[in-house]
Amino acid sequence: MQESRTAQRRALKSSMDVVTRIEAGGQPKIGPEELLSLCARFGLSKRTLARIREALLEEDWGEGPFLANYYANIPESCVRTFERVARQVFGARHALGVSSGTGALHSAFVAAGVGPGTEVICPAIGFFATANVVTLCGGKPVFCDVDDTLHMDPAKVEALITDRTVALAPTHVMGGVCDMAGIMKVARKHQLKVVEDCAQSCGGSFKGRYVGIIGDLGCFSISAYKTVGGGEGGLVLTRSRRLLERASQVAECGGLWRPDRFAPSRYPGELFVGTNYRMSELEAAVDLVQLQKLPRLVKRFRAINTRIRQRLKGFRGITPRRSNDPEGDVGYLLRFYAETVELTDRVVEAVREQGLEAHGRGTQGENDWHVYWNMFPLTEKYGYGRGLCPVADDLYDRVVTVPLNQWYTAAQCREFGDRINQALGSLCAPDPDAPPWI
């Protein structure tokens, strides 16, 4: 098998040489101009770009780099390094870098057995991509209501299980974490796979274990829109070699990942058609650095979140969001509930008047793909509508969200807390018996 793999590598390398070989004083296919284009995208000044250009032109570029994961003729590609770093950071047995969080979900759901005629239980609050991919696989998403943590309520899962259910898809929402003990208990009782959607809570943990390694598969969006990531990338974690192989079968075009890519099946069910969610080398080059920053980033967020909550006072009509694991939340948001949607409007306005960013649906909520009844490609297909998950309906309209910054100093945390107190105190009476912030 190794000889076959080596022969394939030599054949492909020969083909690439035809494209990239420098003939008669030509230029490499990829060279200084392409690297300068990347530097420009990073926002460097014209002066700096000129200095970089001068340095690059002094280099002997030879045939230039081959910017692909496979056959790059380097000790370890950036994609492989990214996967290795992911295993080290999260303590995972297997890691698969892909092109997006949605690609990670698709690969994982197929690996878990989602297909036509199956059902997957998804949270009423999360993001559209999770339930969307279930439908893409040919399955049907079944929405489960949340509890006061805004996460899937394990007590409500069992009533939704049918003979078509193959998986649970808990989503760790906005830096928080699910009650994974309760979810895993139900899943194991009914022999269901658990696919964790960790896109919004990368670096979160439950009872000392990173989210993403508790269930059977963990999916991440490593992208510019999340706490870590530079462009568009994704990640799948699993402890099972077979699940990794099935996920790779989806992401690597139906078998390109295998030791002998052109061989027939090694075991029943190994091979099936796939697509291409392959992570690019350029994306991996950024994201492997980003992922190494994750532990320190989470530590900073948790510290400033704790400092701010220690500063906050109790007020009538204000309830902090309950956490399934206060020490495991990532902590990049401060979230609490106003007693009514009308008060939500007023609280958001008052916090903004203090010079802080704040969000809340309240009475004027806009459509939002983070709540099930606004996921119109699904609601129009399945007839889902508001009223299916009453707790989610209520809490999502009343929750107030205040973003935090990991770089706040202790003094800035005190000032931040004081401004929140001023905003809430302008609308609500002090209440020493109010639910504590910490």
Side-chain angles (χ1 to χ4, degrees):
M1 182 175 294
Q2 182 60 39
E3 291 180 359
S4 175
R5 188 70 165 178
T6 300
Q8 293 167 19
R9 182 180 295 108
R10 288 171 178 168
L12 183 58
K13 183 65 167 60
S14 296
S15 299
M16 294 302 169
D17 284 346
V18 172
V19 177
T20 60
R21 184 182 298 120
I22 300 175
E23 298 287 354
Q27 297 296 319
K29 178 184 178 183
I30 304 294
E33 296 304 321
E34 287 77 15
L35 182 52
L36 281 167
S37 179
L38 287 176
C39 294
R41 182 62 183 84
F42 272 63
L44 302 183
S45 68
K46 290 183 179 180
R47 178 183 177 185
T48 299
L49 289 173
R51 293 166 64 188
I52 293 174
R53 179 190 295 274
E54 183 179 349
L56 293 178
L57 292 177
E58 294 177 358
E59 286 289 318
D60 179 4
W61 284 78
E63 296 183 356
F66 180 58
L67 298 175
N69 179 23
Y70 296 120
Y71 312 113
N73 198 31
I74 54 178
E76 184 177 61
S77 70
C78 288
V79 173
R80 292 290 176 256
T81 303
F82 171 78
E83 293 169 342
R84 174 171 56 78
V85 169
R87 292 193 299 271
Q88 294 170 346
V89 168
F90 295 106
R93 189 172 299 169
H94 302 292
L96 174 66
V98 292
S99 57
S100 68
T102 302
L105 286 166
H106 190 191
S107 303
F109 278 133
V110 173
V114 180
T118 66
E119 295 178 350
V120 177
I121 297 175
C122 302
I125 295 174
F127 187 63
F128 167 68
T130 314
N132 169 69
V133 169
V134 172
T135 303
L136 180 64
C137 293
K140 179 181 179 181
V142 176
F143 287 107
C144 178
D145 210 346
V146 301
D147 56 23
D148 58 348
T149 68
L150 295 179
H151 292 82
M152 179 185 285
D153 187 345
K156 296 174 182 173
V157 171
E158 201 156 18
L160 301 174
I161 296 173
T162 71
D163 58 1
R164 296 179 295 277
T165 308
V166 296
L168 309 182
T171 296
H172 305 283
V173 177
M174 296 294 180
V177 296
C178 296
D179 177 3
M180 290 305 297
I183 288 169
M184 294 303 296
K185 181 178 180 180
V186 175
R188 294 301 175 244
K189 177 181 177 180
H190 294 273
Q191 297 182 317
L192 302 174
K193 290 288 191 292
V194 174
V195 179
E196 297 179 69
D197 184 342
C198 311
Q200 301 175 35
S201 298
C202 185
S205 61
F206 180 77
K207 307 304 181 186
R209 299 179 66 193
Y210 275 114
V211 298
I213 65 169
I214 301 172
D216 297 283
L217 297 123
C219 301
F220 298 78
S221 172
I222 310 296
S223 74
Y225 310 106
K226 304 300 189 298
T227 52
V228 291
E232 295 274 3
L235 173 68
V236 180
L237 301 179
T238 182
R239 71 178 67 86
S240 166
R241 180 71 192 181
R242 284 292 172 91
L243 289 178
L244 172 70
E245 290 175 353
R246 285 184 60 83
S248 298
Q249 187 71 8
V250 178
E252 289 284 351
C253 199
L256 299 184
W257 58 274
R258 299 191 306 149
D260 186 352
R261 61 194 292 192
F262 303 121
S265 297
R266 296 175 296 174
Y267 52 84
E270 180 194 22
L271 297 183
F272 51 87
V273 294
T275 184
N276 182 359
Y277 290 131
R278 193 175 304 130
M279 176 178 256
S280 79
E281 276 287 274
L282 297 180
E283 178 68 32
V286 174
D287 290 348
L288 70 88
V289 177
Q290 285 279 291
L291 208 52
Q292 292 175 81
K293 295 179 178 180
L294 179 65
R296 298 188 299 276
L297 174 147
V298 172
K299 184 178 180 180
R300 287 192 293 269
F301 268 126
R302 287 173 176 166
I304 65 102
N305 187 291
T306 298
R307 288 194 184 110
I308 290 171
R309 287 186 293 119
Q310 287 173 336
R311 193 78 174 178
L312 297 181
K313 301 175 181 178
F315 294 93
R316 190 171 304 155
I318 300 297
T319 303
R321 180 192 70 87
R322 185 174 66 84
S323 171
N324 286 309
D325 187 342
E327 295 182 357
D329 287 347
V330 180
Y332 59 83
L333 297 175
L334 178 68
R335 308 193 87 185
F336 55 92
Y337 307 111
E339 190 172 31
T340 65
V341 290
E342 293 78 14
L343 181 58
T344 299
D345 290 342
R346 297 171 64 196
V347 167
V348 168
E349 182 179 356
V351 173
R352 289 174 177 173
E353 288 176 352
Q354 290 293 324
L356 304 177
E357 183 181 351
H359 306 278
R361 285 181 62 88
T363 61
Q364 305 296 323
E366 298 179 354
N367 294 334
D368 182 351
W369 269 6
H370 290 87
V371 65
Y372 74 99
W373 35 263
N374 275 169
M375 300 177 187
F376 296 119
L378 301 176
T379 61
E380 294 176 6
K381 177 179 177 63
Y382 298 111
Y384 295 143
R386 190 170 180 130
L388 181 66
C389 300
V391 177
D393 298 344
D394 172 43
L395 294 182
Y396 201 70
D397 282 347
R398 294 193 291 115
V399 67
V400 177
T401 300
V402 183
L404 307 179
N405 187 308
Q406 62 175 307
W407 302 109
Y408 287 154
T409 64
Q412 289 171 325
C413 287
R414 291 192 295 271
E415 181 181 354
F416 192 104
D418 291 343
R419 292 190 184 191
I420 294 291
N421 286 331
Q422 290 176 33
L424 298 180
S426 69
L427 301 170
C428 306
D431 185 359
D433 298 321
W437 290 92
I438 194 167

